[in-house]
Coordinates of all heavy atoms in Angstrom, one line a residue:
Chain A
I152 N 27.5 -8.2 -16.2 CA 27.9 -6.9 -16.8 C 29.4 -6.9 -17.0 O 30.1 -7.3 -16.0 CB 27.4 -5.7 -16.0 CG1 25.9 -5.7 -16.0 CG2 27.9 -4.4 -16.7 CD1 25.3 -4.6 -15.2
T153 N 29.9 -6.5 -18.1 CA 31.4 -6.5 -18.4 C 31.9 -5.1 -18.4 O 33.1 -4.9 -18.1 CB 31.7 -7.1 -19.7 OG1 30.9 -6.6 -20.7 CG2 31.5 -8.6 -19.7
S154 N 31.1 -4.1 -18.7 CA 31.6 -2.7 -18.6 C 30.5 -1.7 -18.4 O 29.3 -1.9 -18.8 CB 32.3 -2.4 -19.9 OG 31.4 -2.2 -21.0
I155 N 30.8 -0.6 -17.8 CA 30.0 0.6 -17.8 C 30.8 1.8 -18.1 O 31.9 1.9 -17.6 CB 29.3 0.7 -16.4 CG1 28.3 1.9 -16.3 CG2 30.2 0.7 -15.2 CD1 27.4 1.9 -15.2
E156 N 30.4 2.7 -18.9 CA 31.2 3.8 -19.3 C 30.3 4.9 -19.9 O 29.2 4.7 -20.2 CB 32.2 3.4 -20.3 CG 31.6 2.8 -21.6 CD 32.7 2.2 -22.5 OE1 33.9 2.4 -22.4 OE2 32.2 1.4 -23.4
L207 N 31.4 7.6 -10.8 CA 31.9 6.3 -11.2 C 32.1 5.3 -10.0 O 31.8 4.1 -10.1 CB 33.3 6.5 -12.0 CG 33.9 5.2 -12.5 CD1 33.0 4.6 -13.6 CD2 35.3 5.5 -13.1
I211 N 30.3 1.8 -9.9 CA 31.1 0.5 -9.8 C 30.5 -0.4 -8.7 O 30.4 -1.6 -9.0 CB 32.6 0.9 -9.5 CG1 33.3 1.4 -10.8 CG2 33.3 -0.4 -9.0 CD1 34.7 1.8 -10.6
F215 N 29.4 -3.8 -10.2 CA 30.3 -5.0 -10.0 C 30.3 -5.5 -8.5 O 31.1 -6.4 -8.2 CB 31.7 -4.6 -10.4 CG 31.8 -4.2 -11.9 CD1 32.2 -3.0 -12.3 CD2 31.6 -5.2 -12.9 CE1 32.3 -2.6 -13.6 CE2 31.7 -4.9 -14.2 CZ 32.1 -3.6 -14.6
V250 N 35.4 10.9 -20.5 CA 34.8 9.6 -20.3 C 35.1 9.0 -19.0 O 36.3 8.9 -18.7 CB 35.1 8.7 -21.5 CG1 34.4 7.4 -21.4 CG2 34.7 9.4 -22.9
A251 N 34.1 8.6 -18.3 CA 34.3 7.7 -17.1 C 34.0 6.3 -17.5 O 33.1 6.0 -18.3 CB 33.4 8.2 -16.0
R252 N 34.8 5.3 -17.0 CA 34.6 4.0 -17.4 C 35.1 3.0 -16.4 O 36.0 3.2 -15.6 CB 35.4 3.8 -18.7 CG 36.8 4.3 -18.7 CD 37.7 3.9 -19.8 NE 37.1 3.9 -21.1 CZ 37.2 4.9 -22.0 NH1 37.9 6.0 -21.7 NH2 36.7 4.7 -23.2
A253 N 34.5 1.8 -16.4 CA 34.9 0.7 -15.6 C 34.6 -0.6 -16.3 O 33.6 -0.7 -17.0 CB 34.2 0.7 -14.2
Y254 N 35.6 -1.5 -16.2 CA 35.5 -2.8 -16.9 C 35.8 -3.9 -15.9 O 36.6 -3.8 -15.0 CB 36.6 -2.9 -18.0 CG 36.5 -1.9 -19.0 CD1 37.6 -1.0 -19.2 CD2 35.4 -1.7 -19.8 CE1 37.6 -0.1 -20.2 CE2 35.4 -0.7 -20.7 CZ 36.5 0.1 -20.9 OH 36.4 1.1 -21.9
K255 N 35.2 -5.1 -16.2 CA 35.7 -6.3 -15.6 C 36.5 -7.0 -16.7 O 36.0 -7.3 -17.8 CB 34.5 -7.2 -15.2 CG 34.9 -8.5 -14.6 CD 33.7 -9.1 -13.9 CE 32.6 -9.4 -14.8 NZ 31.3 -9.8 -14.1
I256 N 37.8 -7.2 -16.4 CA 38.7 -7.9 -17.3 C 39.4 -8.9 -16.5 O 40.1 -8.6 -15.5 CB 39.7 -6.9 -18.0 CG1 39.0 -5.8 -18.7 CG2 40.6 -7.7 -19.0 CD1 39.9 -4.7 -19.3
K257 N 39.2 -10.2 -17.0 CA 39.8 -11.3 -16.2 C 39.3 -11.2 -14.8 O 38.1 -11.2 -14.5 CB 41.3 -11.4 -16.4 CG 41.6 -11.8 -17.8 CD 43.1 -12.1 -18.0 CE 43.4 -12.5 -19.4 NZ 44.7 -12.3 -19.8
N259 N 39.8 -8.8 -12.5 CA 39.9 -7.5 -11.8 C 38.9 -6.5 -12.4 O 38.3 -6.7 -13.5 CB 41.3 -6.8 -12.1 CG 42.3 -7.4 -11.2 OD1 42.3 -7.3 -10.0 ND2 43.3 -8.1 -11.8
I260 N 38.6 -5.5 -11.6 CA 37.8 -4.4 -12.0 C 38.7 -3.2 -12.2 O 39.5 -2.9 -11.4 CB 36.7 -4.0 -11.0 CG1 35.9 -5.2 -10.5 CG2 35.8 -2.8 -11.5 CD1 35.1 -5.8 -11.7
F261 N 38.6 -2.6 -13.4 CA 39.4 -1.4 -13.7 C 38.5 -0.2 -13.9 O 37.4 -0.4 -14.4 CB 40.2 -1.6 -15.0 CG 41.1 -2.7 -15.0 CD1 40.8 -4.0 -15.4 CD2 42.4 -2.6 -14.4 CE1 41.6 -5.1 -15.4 CE2 43.3 -3.7 -14.4 CZ 42.9 -4.9 -14.8
G262 N 38.9 1.0 -13.5 CA 38.1 2.1 -13.7 C 38.9 3.4 -13.7 O 39.8 3.5 -12.9
F263 N 38.6 4.4 -14.5 CA 39.3 5.6 -14.5 C 38.5 6.7 -15.3 O 37.5 6.3 -16.0 CB 40.7 5.5 -15.1 CG 40.8 4.8 -16.4 CD1 40.8 5.5 -17.6 CD2 40.8 3.4 -16.4 CE1 40.9 4.8 -18.8 CE2 40.9 2.7 -17.6 CZ 40.9 3.4 -18.8
Q267 N 39.0 11.8 -23.9 CA 39.2 10.9 -25.0 C 38.8 11.5 -26.3 O 37.8 12.2 -26.4 CB 38.5 9.5 -24.8 CG 38.7 8.6 -25.9 CD 38.3 7.1 -25.6 OE1 37.6 6.9 -24.6 NE2 38.8 6.2 -26.4
E288 N 27.4 -2.7 -20.9 CA 27.5 -3.9 -21.7 C 27.5 -5.2 -20.8 O 28.2 -5.3 -19.9 CB 28.8 -3.9 -22.5 CG 28.9 -5.0 -23.5 CD 29.8 -4.8 -24.7 OE1 30.4 -3.7 -24.7 OE2 29.9 -5.7 -25.5
P336 N 38.6 -7.7 -7.2 CA 39.2 -6.5 -6.7 C 39.4 -5.4 -7.7 O 39.6 -5.7 -8.9 CB 40.5 -7.0 -6.1 CG 40.8 -8.2 -6.9 CD 39.5 -8.8 -7.3
F337 N 39.5 -4.2 -7.3 CA 39.8 -3.0 -8.1 C 41.3 -2.9 -8.4 O 42.1 -3.1 -7.5 CB 39.2 -1.8 -7.5 CG 39.3 -0.6 -8.4 CD1 38.4 -0.3 -9.4 CD2 40.4 0.3 -8.2 CE1 38.5 0.8 -10.2 CE2 40.5 1.4 -9.0 CZ 39.6 1.7 -10.0
I341 N 46.7 -1.4 -15.7 CA 46.1 -1.6 -17.1 C 46.9 -0.7 -18.0 O 47.4 0.4 -17.7 CB 44.6 -1.3 -17.1 CG1 44.0 -1.7 -18.4 CG2 44.3 0.2 -16.7 CD1 42.4 -1.6 -18.3
V343 N 46.7 1.6 -21.5 CA 45.7 2.3 -22.3 C 46.4 3.0 -23.5 O 47.5 3.4 -23.4 CB 44.8 3.3 -21.5 CG1 44.0 2.6 -20.5 CG2 45.7 4.3 -20.9
L401 N 41.5 3.4 -29.3 CA 40.9 2.6 -28.2 C 39.6 2.0 -28.6 O 39.4 0.8 -28.4 CB 40.7 3.6 -27.0 CG 41.7 3.6 -25.9 CD1 41.1 4.4 -24.8 CD2 42.1 2.3 -25.5
R414 N 31.6 0.3 -28.4 CA 32.2 0.4 -27.0 C 33.5 1.1 -27.1 O 34.4 0.7 -27.8 CB 32.3 -1.1 -26.5 CG 32.8 -1.1 -25.1 CD 32.8 -2.5 -24.6 NE 33.9 -2.7 -23.7 CZ 34.4 -3.9 -23.3 NH1 33.9 -5.0 -23.9 NH2 35.3 -3.9 -22.4
L415 N 33.6 2.1 -26.2 CA 34.9 2.8 -26.2 C 35.8 2.1 -25.2 O 35.9 2.4 -24.1 CB 34.6 4.2 -25.6 CG 34.0 5.2 -26.5 CD1 33.6 6.4 -25.8 CD2 34.9 5.6 -27.6
S416 N 36.5 1.1 -25.7 CA 37.2 0.2 -24.8 C 38.6 -0.1 -25.2 O 39.0 0.1 -26.3 CB 36.4 -1.0 -24.6 OG 36.4 -1.8 -25.8
A417 N 39.3 -0.6 -24.2 CA 40.7 -0.9 -24.4 C 40.8 -2.3 -25.2 O 39.9 -3.0 -25.1 CB 41.4 -1.1 -23.1

Side-chain angles (χ1 to χ4, degrees):
Chain A
I152 301 179
T153 49
S154 74
I155 180 166
E156 59 190 343
L207 181 64
I211 285 174
F215 298 115
V250 180
R252 45 167 44 96
Y254 303 120
K255 181 163 62 189
I256 302 176
K257 291 189 179 155
N259 282 296
I260 307 299
F261 302 94
F263 49 97
Q267 177 164 18
E288 184 157 3
F337 184 81
I341 191 169
V343 293
L401 262 190
R414 181 174 150 199
L415 285 171
S416 66

